[in-house]
Amino acid sequence: MKTDALFADKTVFSLEVFPPKRTDPSDSILTTVERLKELSPDFISVTYGAGGSENSDVTFSIVSEIKNTYGVESVMHLPCIGLKKEDVLNCLAKLRAAGIENILALRGDIPAGGAPAGDFRYAADLVEFIRAHGDFNIVAACYPEGHVESPSITEDIRNLKRKVDAGVNQLVTQLFFDNEYFYRFIERCRIAGIEVPVEAGIMPVVNKKQIERIVSLCGATLPRKFTAMMARYEDNPEALRDAGIAYAVDQIVDLVTNGVQGIHLYTMNRPYVAERIYSSIKTIL
Ligand code: FAD
């Protein structure tokens, strides 16, 4: 099933997992998926570390298991940096054979040494290529506070419009901790003529290391309410976890109340955290 059809009559609830560090997807990710399935997700997406074809095989096998063993709709992330057209065509053929219809088309982060040689410069180039080579539902990333490389949010939205026009069916946002950025972003998108459904990406922050990494990677603004929480509980892991869960729930309740089209939960492969959040929001979705 193409996941864009889901937005017609509900607030979509989706989950994201990543392949375990080992080369073998092994049982642990499948145990995670087995637990996440109980949260009735509309789909589960699986990340793919840009720049390596063996990563793509691991991601593909998990995406395929989710769909064909667990019966949950799945979305494969596909960062195009360093990929050749032939790599993408092979990937599309595998997805088609496994009955997977949804791809999150990405560029990937540029490594410190510069972009490796490949046939795609921006995610929009990949979107256009996929659109020309099959009947896939194409999801893409967007950034409520602007992408880190972008000189301004206006410029970033102009590029997002190009990407959507190349054939995107739905969007998922980067994580954010202040819903006001999301609301302003949606308004700007609609003014720019971007009409596809947008899911809000929510990351429950449950430990201190995680937040330091996130902020250095994506530069999300941390509201005072959030930093105060982190400061108060940083030496009490259980309290920090519970406060992080409560913060995510609070964000989601506000988003749903204000008519968000979907919630995409970055689970960080922590089913316990996802379960706690789901049990607090399931009746409002
Ligand atoms: P693009 O849409 O190509 O944008 C990248 C930058 O280029 C932006 O600043 C944009 O404004 C600019 N730009 C775009 N088009 C043009 C143009 N024509 N001219 C000039 N500038 C332009 N990374 C992974 O490696 N694996 C994953 O699985 C993964 N999953 C993700 C899931 C989500 C929901 C999100 C939000 C991000 C994910 N990422 C993942 C991270 C993503 O790869 C990075 O954020 C990356 O830096 C940008 O990817 P993009 O697809 O948004 O790029």
Side-chain angles (χ1 to χ4, degrees):
M1 178 195 197
K2 295 188 169 75
T3 55
D4 65 334
L6 294 161
F7 293 91
D9 50 12
K10 71 186 299 269
T11 309
V12 168
F13 177 62
S14 57
L15 304 172
E16 181 173 309
V17 297
F18 55 80
K21 290 274 182 280
R22 284 154 289 156
T23 356
D24 180 357
S26 86
D27 294 1
S28 74
I29 182 69
L30 298 181
T31 312
T32 299
V33 169
E34 213 166 295
R35 284 175 65 182
L36 294 179
K37 178 181 188 266
E38 298 305 312
L39 313 186
S40 312
D42 289 304
F43 65 86
I44 298 179
S45 78
V46 186
T47 68
Y48 164 170
S53 56
E54 82 276 13
N55 298 341
S56 132
D57 290 343
V58 178
T59 294
F60 171 75
S61 70
I62 299 169
V63 166
S64 183
E65 286 277 348
I66 291 172
K67 163 102 182 167
N68 298 312
T69 306
Y70 295 98
V72 175
E73 208 47 66
S74 61
V75 174
M76 174 155 172
H77 293 214
L78 183 59
C80 61
I81 198 164
L83 294 186
K84 300 274 179 213
K85 288 180 178 170
E86 199 185 315
D87 301 322
V88 175
L89 287 176
N90 287 339
C91 181
L92 298 185
K94 281 192 341 190
L95 289 170
R96 212 175 279 118
I100 291 150
E101 297 178 272
N102 307 291
I103 303 173
L104 175 40
L106 297 148
R107 184 198 65 183
D109 285 324
I110 297 177
D119 289 339
F120 305 92
R121 182 162 182 197
Y122 297 112
D125 305 329
L126 176 66
V127 171
E128 197 179 338
F129 187 78
I130 297 172
R131 184 59 65 227
H133 290 90
D135 182 24
F136 288 94
N137 178 59
I138 306 179
V139 190
C142 61
Y143 303 83
E145 300 184 54
H147 183 256
V148 280
E149 289 165 31
S150 200
S152 69
I153 182 83
T154 311
E155 178 69 27
D156 203 35
I157 290 186
R158 202 171 296 136
N159 291 328
L160 179 62
K161 169 81 167 105
R162 285 198 192 115
K163 181 160 70 173
V164 171
D165 288 348
V168 169
N169 302 97
Q170 67 188 86
L171 293 167
V172 181
T173 76
Q174 174 73 279
L175 60 92
F176 56 91
F177 299 105
D178 180 344
N179 289 356
E180 290 309 316
Y181 283 102
F182 178 82
Y183 299 134
R184 276 202 293 275
F185 172 72
I186 293 293
E187 213 173 287
R188 283 173 160 139
C189 283
R190 300 317 181 209
I191 290 169
I194 298 168
E195 300 291 349
V196 295
V198 182
E199 277 192 277
I202 297 295
M203 178 173 286
V205 172
V206 294
N207 67 54
K208 203 177 151 204
K209 231 170 80 197
Q210 190 190 354
I211 189 65
E212 283 158 5
R213 204 169 155 268
I214 292 163
V215 174
S216 74
L217 280 179
C218 74
T221 302
L222 302 180
R224 202 204 55 82
K225 184 176 160 186
F226 184 88
T227 49
M229 173 190 90
M230 296 300 295
R232 180 162 179 107
Y233 302 117
E234 64 182 347
D235 297 323
N236 182 342
E238 238 177 50
L240 185 59
R241 181 199 64 200
D242 288 350
I245 290 172
Y247 193 94
V249 168
D250 188 44
Q251 263 195 291
I252 295 170
V253 171
D254 181 68
L255 287 162
V256 175
T257 307
N258 283 285
V260 72
Q261 291 166 294
I263 299 291
H264 184 72
L265 195 65
Y266 295 103
T267 73
M268 305 299 287
N269 293 7
R270 291 194 183 95
Y272 172 77
V273 173
E275 284 159 3
R276 290 265 309 267
I277 291 174
Y278 179 68
S279 76
S280 299
I281 61 162
K282 62 182 174 192
T283 58
I284 64 160
L285 287 172

